Amino acid sequence: MFSRLLPSLTSPLHYLAILPLLLFLPANLNGQSDSFDVPDPATWFPAGSSWNSDLPTPADHLGWDVGTWHITHDQLASYMRHLAELSDRIELRQHSVTHGGRAGLTLIITSPDNHTRLEEIRRNQQRLTDPALSRDVDLETMPVVVSLGYSIHGNEPSGANASMIVAWHLAAAESEEIESLLEESVILLDPSLNPDGLQRFSTWVNMHRGHTPTTDPRSLEFNEPWPTGRTNYYWFDLNRDWLPVQHPVSRGRVLQFHHWRPNVFADFHEMGEENTYFFQPGVPSRTWPLTPQRNQELTSRLATRHAEALEETHQLFYSEETFDDFYIGKGSTYPDVQGAIGILFEQGSSRGHLRESSLGLRPFHETIRNQVTTSLSTLRGAQEMRIDLLEWMRTFYQEAVEDAGQSPVAGHLIGDSVDSGRNQRMLEMLLPHQIDVRPLEEPVQLGGTQFQPGQAWFIPNDQPQSRLVASLFARPTTFQDSLFYDVSAWTLPLATNLPWVEVQRNETARLALGPALPTPGSPYEQTRGDILQVSPDMHSLPSAYSYLIPWTHDHSPALLYRLQEAGIRARVATTSFTARTPDGRVEAKHGSILIHPGIQEMALEDVTSLLERLSNEFNVPVHPISEGLTPEGVDLGSPSFRPLQQPSVALLTGEGVSSEYEAGEVWHLLNRRMKMPLSRIDVDQVHRTGLNRYTSIVMVSGSYSTLSESGLDTLRDWIRQGGTLILIRGAVSWAIEQELIPYSLRQTDEDPATGSPLPYASMSATRGADVIGGAIFSARIDTTHPLGYGYQTDKLHTFRNSTIVLDPDGLNRWSMPLTYEQEPLVAGYVSDQHLENLRSTPAIAVSSIGQGRVIAMTDNPNFRGFWIGTEKLFLNALFFGHTTHEGTVNE
């Protein structure tokens, strides 16, 4: 390793600089052992392997062998760019830019001859997904397309580090075997699916690496601080973002998937250090019902290749346990409903460089070697199964269209006639998946709902993506297995809270539809990964006595915040009324925002100009009001209009906050969608932080063990003086334990650990089935309550992944704006005991401490950034929490 450094020393001063190192070398080489003397990766390949010496190894580029240090993303990108410049087997493309400004890269690796006809290969691959074209495709001449994706969780680094060895080998290896592989394959290698997380983790672990290794799991090297490198810049789990595509790198990744339509997608992860090595198939009883059996058969065939390869290196491994193929929004399952084979690889982690475990010392380089091994077994297996994999993709889409044609349901009509913002966000989630979406062109009433042209869309079942469409609109409530690795329901129209009907085949004649909306194209031409935009209808705004902004639009909160930033004083209507406009009367509901020029510090014409510009920017209507006296209800000067504060929000973060996901969802919503600054305050600093500048403080799930008594007192005093504390999910339990809120939790009648004896072997499954891993429930929202402002109906669907249930006994009847229905389950799994416990209980409760408010939300309203239906609850708490009348809360 050190010999690579010596030729670069050109000055005597350089030798002086490394004299301590040179003095240390003999002892190190002849002494006990330097555990960081990792083996040359060339020794991981069969004896006699050879490589083109003109192409740099990772060690040539870095100055150290892979596994000596953890690769940072900038080093990784630098090597991949350099290798691509020198190799005629590689073309490097950029598919996205992360929130942190780092490039999402893909290396397209194949033979030089294939590179000359790359577009032809890609177009033939696309034809396999179109039953009208696929029958004429000659599979014998087609290469198989394999995608290798590494380390979507940044602190599972063996994959990203392995990607360098895999790329070098594919670029430089010299043998008939490698030439055959490249001639019959197109390989899409993504070296880091989470650049920001990888950079965060590698910086930490390298910073705490000792030159004399420490293997103690309690050492800093193995215990990264909050937030961990698992997540992206905004602390999201990107492996759950394949369906919602809320982040630029996710959108680029999904667009690339559809641009190429790989036959195999290999997804490289890590798990706990006490584990060995896992590869799919997963637990057979936990496969998504719409995944064809043929998919699992092909996955099992590939699994034999991984087993053989790992046996050669004497590694322990397992399959068909622990992990499942149920939630289709992960990298290993998303391909399964699209004619491809998704494979999850899980390597027992070293976390640092050398770590103790019950399996012995686990060196980092060994975890990297295993990922290299299964990368190559995936490629060899795909090459051997090339015709079968290509045939499966063709057959999958033919069968998908045939099956869809036999369904009595022709498709789904969805859209809100008022809220264009939620409509836009729904389309942003659908279109990157290459789903056929057709606009409604004439009004129609179906299922008791009126749908309007330009505000509703039809998603037909009769399309190649029919199985993906069915998965997005499914509402499963019965399951073969009751234990889930991830969520058990994710129904898109319930998440967006949009009006939705299933259209029967005999009803399609009533629909006047336009041509399918264009879907995003190549990710390489859209590297910023910007959110899809729907152009607003531009309009002018006349000068008026006053102005009214409806709160029914998704973008209304962002518009209001921009007005407040500009110094505009706003008031909210706490009752409904009718007002006169130049175009006639307008019905104003609870939560409508009044902007009266007469109380502003800027001139009337400037107020009008600002409102017009922001109305067009956010595509939210602003109604000019002609008179202060209203035809019905309160007049515009009524005390029923409450003055609003500009939100100034703090989020408690750091050790003791158990869910960086929930914290990140708050940060992302306010920072990216609302363009609102958010102060993130470490929990252990609350006692020394002046909280008076904040109107609201948010606490997500956590133990808050580092919040001192003085910090808790500081928080209480801030609430008493008029602050609004918003508690999400686990923070509700914490607040009850601290007697911060006068509630109690309702417990289930049955503890799975008590009662009649059960086999010891059933303990894990029984306890797992008692957890609400992620299901959808119906609730009733009081649209007259400040937290219910802007909702057009009183029915709302919430996402629940906890067993926290508030006991309604003794609660003020006006302090529960959202309550579960008596029969609340809509989709997903929940045990009978938990379902019974949940009936008719509050999902939100409001209480007061002095002049302030505490808003307790038992569910996460911002789940994964795409549960748009409940997002407004959280924003209402920020904007209107302080307006809740004291008589409607507990004292």
Side-chain angles (χ1 to χ4, degrees):
M1 176 178 66
F2 296 107
S3 62
R4 295 191 182 94
L5 298 177
L6 297 179
S8 66
L9 302 177
T10 58
S11 161
L13 292 177
H14 289 142
Y15 288 97
L16 290 175
I18 67 163
L19 182 60
L21 176 62
L22 296 174
L23 293 174
F24 177 71
L25 277 176
N28 191 40
L29 294 175
N30 301 320
Q32 312 306 9
S33 70
D34 180 355
S35 297
F36 294 134
D37 272 349
V38 302
D40 185 340
T43 63
W44 298 352
F45 296 89
S49 297
S50 63
W51 295 269
N52 182 348
S53 59
D54 292 335
L55 294 177
T57 68
D60 292 333
H61 187 80
L62 299 169
W64 38 267
D65 280 316
V66 171
T68 307
W69 296 86
H70 279 248
I71 196 74
T72 63
H73 185 264
D74 53 341
Q75 293 169 328
L76 180 61
S78 173
Y79 176 67
M80 294 305 189
R81 292 183 190 279
H82 186 49
L83 189 64
E85 288 172 356
L86 298 176
S87 172
D88 60 358
R89 297 175 180 176
I90 299 178
E91 179 180 329
L92 186 142
R93 294 185 180 180
Q94 180 175 319
H95 61 68
S96 61
V97 175
T98 71
H99 291 300
R102 297 181 175 88
L105 300 175
T106 295
L107 282 69
I108 302 176
I109 308 174
T110 190
S111 68
D113 286 345
N114 282 344
H115 272 295
T116 65
R117 60 186 190 98
L118 208 55
E119 183 60 16
E120 174 193 338
I121 293 172
R122 189 190 70 81
R123 289 185 181 278
N124 278 333
Q125 190 75 6
Q126 286 285 346
R127 289 188 181 98
L128 293 182
T129 69
D130 186 344
L133 302 174
S134 63
R135 300 184 196 280
D136 298 327
V137 177
D138 181 7
L139 304 184
E140 293 293 336
T141 63
M142 290 181 62
V144 66
V145 180
V146 181
S147 185
L148 305 176
Y150 296 96
S151 299
I152 199 167
H153 298 138
N155 62 358
E156 299 175 5
S158 57
N161 284 265
S163 74
M164 292 185 291
I165 302 299
V166 175
W168 163 71
H169 175 71
L170 294 175
E174 296 176 326
S175 68
E176 291 183 4
E177 179 186 5
I178 198 72
E179 289 180 3
S180 172
L181 173 68
L182 295 176
E183 189 61 34
E184 297 185 2
S185 310
V186 172
I187 301 158
L188 312 175
L189 189 151
D190 193 325
S192 172
L193 294 168
N194 181 4
D196 294 341
L198 179 69
Q199 190 77 12
R200 187 160 66 241
F201 174 74
S202 60
T203 299
W204 171 266
V205 74
N206 286 336
M207 181 170 63
H208 294 286
R209 167 196 185 275
H211 285 268
T212 299
T214 299
T215 63
D216 180 1
R218 291 160 293 194
S219 182
L220 274 175
E221 181 180 348
F222 308 104
N223 293 279
E224 58 180 320
W226 194 102
T228 67
R230 175 183 178 87
T231 53
N232 78 335
Y233 187 90
Y234 281 103
W235 310 336
F236 276 67
D237 184 339
L238 289 178
N239 198 39
R240 273 57 176 181
D241 198 41
W242 282 81
L243 285 181
V245 287
Q246 296 298 299
H247 301 276
V249 71
S250 300
R251 184 166 179 263
R253 183 177 68 235
V254 165
L255 291 181
Q256 176 174 266
F257 180 93
H258 290 286
H259 188 67
W260 271 103
R261 298 287 188 165
N263 300 101
V264 176
F265 182 88
D267 194 17
F268 294 88
H269 291 250
E270 290 184 5
M271 51 185 167
E273 70 280 354
E274 294 298 331
N275 294 284
T276 58
Y277 197 95
F278 168 87
F279 48 81
Q280 282 178 321
V283 180
S285 60
R286 301 179 206 153
T287 301
W288 177 240
L290 294 177
T291 300
Q293 180 58 33
R294 180 62 173 160
N295 169 279
Q296 295 295 285
E297 293 169 359
L298 291 169
T299 304
S300 296
R301 281 180 59 187
L302 277 170
T304 63
R305 276 64 173 183
H306 313 318
E308 293 167 358
L310 290 169
E311 285 167 355
E312 288 180 6
T313 57
H314 305 285
Q315 295 297 313
L316 289 170
F317 56 85
Y318 70 100
S319 188
E320 297 187 325
E321 287 186 69
T322 312
F323 302 94
D324 63 42
D325 293 335
F326 194 82
Y327 172 53
I328 64 162
K330 298 182 295 184
S332 59
T333 49
Y334 181 79
D336 291 345
V337 291
Q338 300 181 90
I341 307 300
I343 307 174
L344 172 67
F345 294 104
E346 292 274 357
Q347 162 67 52
S349 182
S350 68
R351 281 293 183 257
H353 293 83
L354 183 66
R355 180 173 177 144
E356 299 169 10
S357 79
S358 62
L359 299 166
L361 291 180
R362 170 161 284 161
F364 182 37
H365 66 79
E366 182 180 283
T367 70
I368 298 170
R369 178 179 181 175
N370 289 341
Q371 304 284 39
V372 171
T373 297
T374 53
S375 295
L376 298 180
S377 67
T378 299
L379 295 176
R380 287 192 294 267
Q383 181 190 14
E384 293 168 11
M385 297 166 58
R386 177 176 64 89
I387 298 298
D388 288 341
L389 292 169
L390 292 168
E391 181 60 53
W392 169 236
M393 178 166 284
R394 173 161 64 186
T395 301
F396 175 92
Y397 283 99
Q398 290 172 348
E399 292 179 350
V401 172
E402 290 171 3
D403 291 346
Q406 297 172 10
S407 171
V409 177
H412 308 270
L413 190 61
I414 184 170
D416 192 296
S417 60
V418 172
D419 191 352
S420 60
R422 274 184 302 139
N423 290 337
Q424 175 184 337
R425 292 175 69 180
M426 179 265 296
L427 295 175
E428 290 172 355
M429 285 188 271
L430 287 175
L431 294 177
H433 303 291
Q434 309 301 300
I435 290 173
D436 187 343
V437 179
R438 299 176 180 271
L440 184 69
E441 294 194 330
E442 293 181 8
V444 67
Q445 184 167 339
L446 286 176
T449 302
Q450 185 75 26
F451 293 93
Q452 298 295 331
Q455 298 289 350
W457 293 264
F458 180 66
I459 298 95
N461 280 342
D462 296 350
Q463 62 170 296
Q465 288 290 66
S466 60
R467 284 176 173 149
L468 181 60
V469 170
S471 301
L472 288 170
F473 287 83
R475 290 173 291 181
T477 56
T478 58
F479 302 88
Q480 183 181 356
D481 198 324
S482 57
L483 190 64
F484 298 92
Y485 185 74
D486 202 76
V487 301
S488 61
W490 52 86
T491 315
L492 180 64
L494 302 183
T496 56
N497 198 39
L498 288 168
W500 160 50
V501 295
E502 291 182 335
V503 181
Q504 304 300 308
R505 292 203 175 270
N506 59 5
E507 297 174 315
T508 55
R510 300 176 56 191
L511 302 181
L513 302 174
L517 297 180
T519 54
S522 168
Y524 315 124
E525 298 166 3
Q526 308 173 44
T527 55
R528 290 186 56 84
D530 293 330
I531 298 292
L532 296 173
Q533 295 296 323
V534 176
S535 298
D537 296 326
M538 304 300 289
H539 59 275
S540 59
L541 189 66
S543 178
Y545 172 76
S546 203
Y547 298 95
L548 201 64
I549 302 171
W551 199 249
T552 49
H553 289 252
D554 184 69
H555 298 318
S556 295
L559 187 154
L560 173 59
Y561 186 78
R562 289 281 292 278
L563 288 170
Q564 291 175 321
E565 259 192 328
I568 293 291
R569 296 186 179 94
R571 301 169 73 83
V572 61
T574 61
T575 185
S576 59
F577 63 98
T578 301
R580 288 191 177 92
T581 75
D583 298 322
R585 295 186 179 187
V586 62
E587 302 293 328
K589 297 182 177 181
H590 295 76
S592 297
I593 305 299
L594 181 69
I595 306 296
H596 185 64
I599 62 172
Q600 310 303 330
E601 295 184 1
M602 64 175 66
L604 170 60
E605 58 271 19
D606 293 334
V607 173
T608 303
S609 176
L610 178 63
L611 283 167
E612 179 182 298
R613 177 169 59 82
L614 294 180
S615 173
N616 286 315
E617 178 181 338
F618 291 103
N619 205 19
V620 174
V622 174
H623 301 296
I625 307 301
S626 308
E627 304 171 2
L629 293 176
T630 65
E632 296 179 20
V634 298
D635 297 325
L636 299 192
S638 167
S640 295
F641 289 91
R642 299 287 301 276
L644 293 176
Q645 303 171 327
Q646 180 182 354
S648 175
V649 187
L651 171 69
L652 299 193
T653 59
E655 300 300 330
V657 177
S658 61
S659 180
E660 62 188 81
Y661 301 156
E662 292 173 16
E665 288 153 6
V666 171
W667 184 22
H668 180 261
L669 169 62
L670 298 186
N671 203 234
R672 295 289 294 184
R673 291 210 172 271
M674 290 292 298
K675 302 295 188 290
M676 181 187 297
L678 175 70
S679 297
R680 287 155 289 149
I681 299 175
D682 202 280
V683 173
D684 64 8
Q685 297 299 308
V686 170
H687 67 288
R688 62 180 66 182
T689 302
L691 301 181
N692 290 338
R693 67 180 296 163
Y694 308 115
T695 61
S696 301
I697 293 177
V698 182
M699 298 179 71
V700 299
S701 297
S703 66
Y704 293 92
S705 55
T706 59
L707 182 64
S708 64
E709 283 296 325
S710 60
L712 184 57
D713 290 341
T714 299
L715 192 62
R716 280 198 179 97
D717 289 342
W718 170 80
I719 300 170
R720 289 191 184 101
Q721 295 169 21
T724 299
L725 179 65
I726 302 170
L727 306 169
I728 294 176
R729 206 164 156 265
V732 176
S733 301
W734 170 84
I736 291 173
E737 292 172 2
Q738 301 299 320
E739 298 182 348
L740 192 64
I741 51 178
Y743 306 147
S744 60
L745 296 179
R746 178 183 277 187
Q747 304 299 324
T748 55
D749 295 333
E750 185 175 326
D751 184 339
T754 62
S756 302
L758 291 172
Y760 180 78
S762 71
M763 179 173 62
S764 177
T766 302
R767 285 180 167 170
D770 195 56
V771 173
I772 303 177
I776 304 170
F777 299 88
S778 61
R780 294 289 172 180
I781 180 75
D782 179 359
T783 59
T784 71
H785 191 283
L787 267 64
Y789 288 169
Y791 285 99
Q792 300 175 62
T793 68
D794 66 352
K795 190 164 186 175
L796 186 60
H797 295 98
T798 70
F799 185 88
R800 164 164 281 254
N801 56 355
S802 79
T803 57
I804 300 167
V805 179
L806 290 175
D807 192 334
D809 291 345
L811 288 184
N812 186 310
R813 290 181 295 173
W814 295 281
S815 67
M816 300 179 284
L818 185 67
T819 306
Y820 289 109
E821 295 191 292
Q822 179 63 20
E823 299 295 336
L825 180 63
V826 178
Y829 172 80
V830 60
S831 69
D832 292 341
Q833 292 81 13
H834 283 303
L835 182 60
E836 182 64 33
N837 201 41
L838 196 63
R839 300 181 194 276
S840 303
T841 60
I844 298 179
V846 184
S847 60
S848 65
I849 300 177
Q851 298 300 310
R853 303 289 178 267
V854 180
I855 300 172
M857 299 180 170
T858 60
D859 298 325
N860 177 10
N862 308 311
F863 180 68
R864 293 185 180 169
F866 85 103
W867 212 265
I868 304 167
T870 52
E871 191 179 273
K872 190 182 287 287
L873 295 169
F874 177 75
L875 294 174
N876 285 352
L878 296 181
F879 282 95
F880 308 135
H882 67 286
T883 71
T884 304
H885 195 277
E886 293 181 18
T888 67
V889 296
N890 293 306
E891 298 293 344

